[in-house]
Amino acid sequence: MKIGFYGAGNMAQAIIQGILASQKVAPNKLVVYNHRYEPTLRSVEEKYGIAGILDEKNLFEKVDLIIFAVKPAVLMAILPKIKSYLQPNHLLVSIASGVSIQQITSCVGDQKIIRVMPNTPAMVGAAMSSVSANELVSETDLQNVVEIFSSFGKAQVVPEELIPAVVGVSGSAPAYVYLFIEALADGAVAEGMTRAAAYEFAAQTVLGSAKMVLETGLHPGELKDSVCSPAGTTIAAVESLEKNHFRASVIEAVRTAAKADRKH
C-alpha cells in the first residue's frame, strides 16, 4: 500500500513520523502533497526522506490511501475538486474535526471512507485516535488504518455516532489535563516550590498515573484507594476535591464538549 498525505502541517508530520518510526512502511511508500507553499513541502522531504508532490492529480495517481490532513473548511472546499481523480480502490482517510462520513460522501460519492479523530499528543507520539469507517471499507483496510494510527499512540475502532463522546474524553481533554497540571503546580508554588519544579512534579505525576491505569489494568478507583491511607493526607485532599465537585465538574466538561460537537 502506498500512502499519500494531502497537507504537510503538524498533524501530517506527526503521523509521518509515527509511521516511519514503526518501520512498518518504508519511506518510498509515502508521498506528501502541500498546496502552493513549497518551502513546507521541501522541509518535510528533507526531514523525513519522503517524496513531495506539487501536482494534486499526481498525488491520487500514485497512492492507494490518502490521508486528508487539512482543516475542516479546507477539506469541504477541496473534495468536489478532487472527485474526478478518485478511483474505486482509493481509501480516503479524514482527520478533519466535525466533518462526517456522510458529508464527505455527499461530495465524492461512493468511496471507501474512514474518519479518524486523533488528539494533539500525536505531536509527541502519544495520541489517542478513534477510527470510524463506512460500509465500503474492508476489515483489512480498517485494520491497516488502525495500525497506522497506533504507530504514534493508541487507536480504537468506534461507531461514528460515538465521536462526540470521543471529542469530550479525548479530543478536547488535553486542555482539561493542562488545566489540572497548571492547578497542581499553582498549589505547589503557593507552598513555596519554584514554578519550574512544580510543573515538572505535576506533569510527571500525571504521566505516571496515566501509565499505571494503562499498564496495570486496575480500576482507577482501586489505584486511588491504594494511595489513600486511613486519616492520611491523600484522603483529606480527595475529600476536599469531592466537596468542590471535582468529578461532577469533569463529567460536565466532557458532556459539554460532546454537546458542542453535535452542533457542528
Side-chain angles (χ1 to χ4, degrees):
M1 179 182 291
K2 198 153 189 178
I3 301 170
F5 290 83
Y6 196 111
N10 289 335
M11 191 60 79
Q13 291 188 46
I15 299 170
I16 291 166
Q17 187 171 316
I19 292 172
L20 294 177
S22 73
Q23 298 186 330
K24 292 178 179 177
V25 180
N28 65 2
K29 295 291 186 180
L30 301 179
V31 296
V32 59
Y33 166 81
N34 195 58
H35 181 60
R36 290 184 183 172
Y37 196 61
E38 193 171 344
T40 298
L41 193 60
R42 298 300 166 236
S43 172
V44 171
E45 284 183 301
E46 292 171 11
K47 188 173 181 180
Y48 301 107
I50 66 175
I53 295 175
L54 285 169
D55 183 292
E56 194 176 52
K57 183 180 180 182
N58 192 227
L59 171 71
F60 292 90
E61 291 172 343
K62 285 181 175 291
V63 303
D64 309 293
L65 186 157
I66 303 97
I67 297 176
F68 291 95
V70 294
K71 295 184 184 301
V74 174
L75 178 65
M76 295 305 292
I78 65 173
L79 286 175
K81 188 173 62 169
I82 60 93
K83 181 180 178 180
S84 61
Y85 306 148
L86 299 178
Q87 299 297 322
N89 65 295
H90 279 134
L91 174 58
L92 311 183
V93 178
S94 166
I95 63 170
S97 176
V99 180
S100 70
I101 291 173
Q102 180 55 47
Q103 286 175 290
I104 297 171
T105 301
S106 68
C107 294
V108 299
D110 290 334
Q111 292 284 157
K112 297 186 292 182
I113 300 168
I114 293 180
R115 182 180 174 191
V116 181
M117 286 290 296
N119 59 9
T120 55
M123 307 302 178
V124 292
M128 184 67 225
S129 303
S130 69
V131 181
S132 307
N134 70 0
E135 66 281 357
L136 298 177
V137 174
S138 70
E139 186 61 30
T140 299
D141 284 335
L142 183 61
Q143 290 310 311
N144 282 339
V145 171
V146 168
E147 193 169 324
I148 287 169
F149 283 84
S150 296
S151 69
F152 56 96
K154 292 179 179 288
Q156 189 173 130
V157 177
V158 301
E160 189 181 19
E161 59 264 27
L162 288 182
I163 285 182
V166 170
V167 170
V169 75
S170 176
S172 298
Y176 329 151
V177 177
Y178 301 144
L179 282 173
F180 180 55
I181 290 171
E182 186 178 33
L184 284 174
D186 284 347
V189 170
E191 288 294 321
M193 187 177 282
T194 66
R195 176 64 62 182
Y199 279 139
E200 185 167 11
F201 272 89
Q204 181 61 33
T205 299
V206 169
L207 175 64
S209 301
K211 283 176 69 68
M212 289 282 285
V213 173
L214 292 172
E215 294 181 12
T216 67
L218 296 174
H219 190 283
E222 186 177 350
L223 291 169
K224 180 263 294 178
D225 289 349
S226 71
V227 188
C228 294
S229 303
T233 58
T234 307
I235 192 63
V238 168
E239 182 184 21
S240 172
L241 289 171
E242 293 288 9
K243 284 179 179 178
N244 287 285
H245 311 293
F246 177 73
R247 284 194 290 184
S249 295
V250 174
I251 291 168
E252 183 62 24
V254 172
R255 300 199 70 186
T256 298
K259 183 179 179 180
D261 183 71
R262 288 191 190 98
K263 291 180 178 178
H264 288 164

